[in-house]
Amino acid sequence: MKRLNAKKSGSDPNFVRRVAWLLSFVSLPVFGQLPAVVTLEDVLRIVSESPRVAVSQREAEAARAERAAAAAFANPSLSVGRSRPAGGERTIFDARSQDQASAELPVPIFGQRGARIRVAESQVARADFQVQQTLNETRKTAALGFVRLLTAQEQLALRQRARGEIERIRGIVSGRMDSGMASRYDVARADAELSLSAIALQRAEAETAEHAAVIAALAGATQWRPRAEGTLELPWRTEGDLQQVINGNPTLQTARAETRAAEARIELAQRERYPVPSLGLGRTWTHGPFGAANFLGVTSEIPILDTRRAQEDKARAEAAAARARERAVEIGLRAELQRHLEALRVRRATLQGLEVRQDAFLEMAESAYRLGRATLFELLDARRTQVEAADARLELLGAIAESEIELRALAGAL
């Protein structure tokens, strides 16, 4: 019966139309606000409000709620009861009934509440740094995606121009064959080169769509396909002392905040080894005849069987692990910083030494082919060299931009 109902609902055209209308209505506010053409600043602004960042912000709000909960005092306990004689001599009380009411209030006199507040405050600081870390990583990923999208677009335009060049060369070969100066093999070779250029063009289109989808996923808009606008030569330069660069990294700041929180938990574990006494206040009264008595006392746990030493040892071990993680994070960041600086230096030196003069080179090869002083292979090779050199320059520019983005993200300046 369930399968029949599901099939009927799925085949109902009105049902399908209603579902499609609801989905389009839900997605309109999201996609209607996103531009089709974006700059790097646009991408960084858009992903700053992505679902990934929103999750981290909600976690920070939860940490602040924990801070408010840690500052609250324990609630008092109220006990109310009545006793009646059930048989035998009245040895407990000589009356028709006895009523009693009492209240207990835990009093953390050994600083447990203050220690909990300090732990909660350190967790709030850690959550705030975690928001910065998530935002920095998201913006870094988006910036890298933008650079790769822009590089893919430039490579796609290069492949399109290359295909046009091959079509023009194929026309030259066809004209020479009609005049008896080229063979059918030359035409077949030109057709093969044209097919290869079509495959390269398809790959460039696929890479462009892939990088656009990455940016759309970061923004939380899966149907959005942005087009990058800008230049691969970014104006950023990471300078200054390396220690200052490392200290500004949100990942290291988060690790340090976690260390402070772990050390605060040691103090909390020490404080919680002391018992929390409860102040009790009560009154007992009887009916027939009436009599009353007041009660004031203190209730406290006796920590002789469980001294809670294990909780303190656990807190010390977690603090030691947090300090080790902090050192590991700092060492890893230093190594990553050195790696990106070295890669950037090598790539800039390579770019300065790259001098490409493919236009004149291709014109000379084409003139030689028209005059019969060069073969078709030499002409196609000149064209291929031109495309490969231009493609290598684009990849080098993109790699330099990625290194600059990585360095800026390490400094926490994205």
Side-chain angles (χ1 to χ4, degrees):
M1 180 64 69
K2 292 181 179 179
R3 184 180 302 175
L4 180 60
N5 291 337
K7 183 176 181 181
K8 183 177 179 180
S9 299
S11 60
D12 187 1
N14 294 328
F15 174 79
V16 175
R17 239 186 335 268
R18 286 195 296 270
V19 171
W21 179 81
L22 287 174
L23 291 176
S24 63
F25 179 77
V26 171
S27 61
L28 272 177
V30 178
F31 303 124
Q33 300 174 358
L34 298 178
V37 180
V38 293
T39 62
L40 179 57
E41 290 74 16
D42 294 334
V43 170
L44 295 179
R45 175 181 51 81
I46 290 171
V47 300
S48 297
E49 302 174 357
S50 67
R52 184 184 303 179
V53 178
V55 169
S56 185
Q57 291 173 345
R58 300 294 86 78
E59 291 175 351
E61 293 176 1
R64 283 187 282 272
E66 289 290 339
R67 164 63 178 81
F73 288 93
N75 291 320
S77 300
L78 177 64
S79 175
V80 178
R82 167 172 287 189
S83 300
R84 290 180 179 275
E89 296 294 332
R90 296 188 176 185
T91 58
I92 299 178
F93 61 88
D94 189 11
R96 293 193 308 271
S97 63
Q98 176 181 273
D99 295 329
Q100 57 186 8
S102 63
E104 286 190 4
L105 176 65
V107 183
I109 60 176
F110 296 107
Q112 291 92 339
R113 177 175 174 271
R116 284 195 296 269
I117 291 175
R118 285 187 288 273
V119 170
E121 288 175 347
S122 62
Q123 291 291 355
V124 170
R126 181 196 175 279
D128 291 337
F129 283 125
Q130 183 66 47
V131 172
Q132 297 179 14
Q133 178 183 348
T134 303
L135 180 61
N136 187 67
E137 292 177 352
T138 303
R139 289 166 68 91
K140 182 190 77 171
T141 305
L144 292 175
F146 176 85
V147 167
R148 290 163 186 167
L149 174 59
L150 188 58
T151 303
Q153 290 177 181
E154 295 291 339
Q155 290 175 332
L156 176 59
L158 175 64
R159 299 297 178 182
Q160 290 173 342
R161 291 193 300 269
R163 180 177 174 82
E165 287 292 329
I166 296 176
E167 290 176 348
R168 188 177 61 83
I169 292 174
R170 202 272 183 195
I172 295 174
V173 174
S174 179
R176 287 174 61 86
M177 188 188 72
D178 293 339
S179 62
M181 300 180 63
S183 63
R184 288 184 299 175
Y185 176 78
D186 291 340
V187 176
R189 183 65 183 85
D191 290 337
E193 192 72 15
L194 191 61
S195 299
L196 292 176
S197 68
I199 295 175
L201 181 61
Q202 183 272 332
R203 290 176 179 172
E205 291 174 349
E207 289 183 3
T208 303
E210 179 181 354
H211 295 309
V214 169
I215 298 177
L218 288 173
T222 56
Q223 302 300 322
W224 182 43
R225 290 298 178 269
R227 179 174 177 81
E229 182 181 70
T231 175
L232 291 175
E233 298 180 1
L234 301 180
W236 298 337
R237 292 294 184 272
T238 302
E239 300 176 352
D241 182 63
L242 296 183
Q243 185 62 44
Q244 293 179 355
V245 172
I246 292 298
N247 288 335
N249 185 269
T251 303
L252 181 58
Q253 292 178 345
T254 302
R256 288 174 176 172
E258 178 58 33
T259 300
R260 292 190 292 269
E263 292 173 349
R265 285 192 290 268
I266 295 178
E267 181 189 2
L268 177 60
Q270 292 174 341
R271 298 287 182 178
E272 288 184 343
R273 292 187 64 183
Y274 296 97
V276 178
S278 297
L279 180 64
L281 179 64
R283 180 179 176 84
T284 303
W285 65 96
T286 61
H287 298 278
F290 173 79
N294 296 327
F295 169 78
L296 177 64
V298 177
T299 304
S300 177
E301 177 190 12
I302 303 177
I304 57 176
L305 300 179
D306 181 13
T307 61
R308 299 186 180 91
R309 180 60 183 269
Q311 297 298 325
E312 182 180 350
D313 293 340
K314 177 183 177 182
R316 291 185 181 278
E318 290 177 347
R323 286 190 291 268
R325 282 195 297 270
E326 179 185 343
R327 289 193 297 270
V329 168
E330 185 172 359
I331 292 172
L333 289 175
R334 286 182 177 277
E336 189 175 358
L337 179 63
Q338 293 290 350
R339 179 173 64 86
H340 288 300
L341 285 174
E342 182 65 20
L344 184 59
R345 183 187 64 80
V346 172
R347 289 166 179 170
R348 284 176 176 170
T350 304
L351 182 62
Q352 291 178 358
L354 183 63
E355 295 182 359
V356 183
R357 298 177 180 176
Q358 298 93 352
D359 295 336
F361 181 63
L362 184 60
E363 290 177 2
M364 289 187 293
E366 184 177 335
S367 299
Y369 177 72
R370 289 178 180 274
L371 296 175
R373 297 176 181 176
T375 63
L376 177 62
F377 288 101
E378 293 173 333
L379 178 58
L380 294 177
D381 182 70
R383 192 230 33 109
R384 191 179 299 111
T385 301
Q386 179 193 33
V387 174
E388 290 177 355
D391 187 69
R393 185 176 184 277
L394 287 174
E395 289 184 357
L396 189 57
L397 286 173
I400 291 174
E402 290 183 17
S403 295
E404 292 174 346
I405 289 172
E406 292 281 1
L407 289 172
R408 198 169 180 84
L410 284 173
L414 270 179

